[in-house]
Structures are given as structure tokens and as C-alpha cells.
Amino acid sequence: MSRSSQAVLVVTALLSAATIAAVHVQQRRERERLYSGVLRDLERQSQKRENIRLLEEQIALTKRLTEEREKMLVEKGSQQS
């Protein structure tokens, strides 16, 4: 085999290896990006559940406060009569 054909063979092999490596790196990055999306979704769902829990707690506290205010107004009204 001539020297130039050997050089072409080596260059072609190196370019092929580099292309294959680049594709593998790209696939790994894409897989990591997709997985981080799943983690973000799980975090969002967790935060949403926490927000709903806090909202329900706030609603219950507001209801209790309203009931206590009404009770105090009724007691205050009965004391004045």
C-alpha cells in the first residue's frame, strides 16, 4: 500500500472514530437533559402539593378566625343588652 493511501486510511479512521465519539457524547448530554427535565417536573409537582396544602391550611385558619370573631361579636352584643 502506498504512503498516501495509508495516510487517507488513517485520517478516515480517525474522523470516523471522532464522529462516533461525538455522537455518543451528544446522546449522553441529551439523556442527562431529559432526566433533569423529569427531576424538574417532580420538584414542580412536589411544590404544587405543598402550595395546595398551605392554601388549605390558610383556608381552615381563616374560617376558624371568622368563627371566633363572630362568636366574640355575639358575646359582646349579649353583654351590652
Side-chain angles (χ1 to χ4, degrees):
M1 216 189 296
S2 70
R3 204 179 234 351
S4 62
S5 63
Q6 287 179 345
V8 168
L9 179 63
V10 168
V11 168
T12 304
L14 289 175
L15 287 175
S16 296
T19 301
I20 291 170
V23 167
H24 283 291
V25 168
Q26 183 180 7
Q27 285 177 341
R28 187 179 311 123
R29 285 182 183 162
E30 182 70 16
R31 199 172 20 247
E32 289 171 358
R33 188 182 66 79
L34 290 173
Y35 183 69
S36 69
V38 170
L39 293 178
R40 283 191 309 269
D41 285 346
L42 290 174
E43 181 60 33
R44 265 190 232 118
Q45 288 174 358
S46 174
Q47 187 62 43
K48 185 175 180 179
R49 282 192 298 272
E50 177 66 15
N51 288 344
I52 290 171
R53 185 191 67 76
L54 290 172
L55 179 62
E56 289 171 348
E57 184 179 310
Q58 187 66 37
I59 290 170
L61 288 172
T62 302
K63 188 183 289 186
R64 196 169 88 195
L65 177 64
T66 304
E67 290 170 356
E68 288 177 8
R69 282 184 182 169
E70 289 175 1
K71 184 178 176 182
M72 286 178 60
L73 288 175
V74 168
E75 289 176 359
K76 198 174 195 181
S78 65
Q79 288 177 356
Q80 289 179 355
S81 10

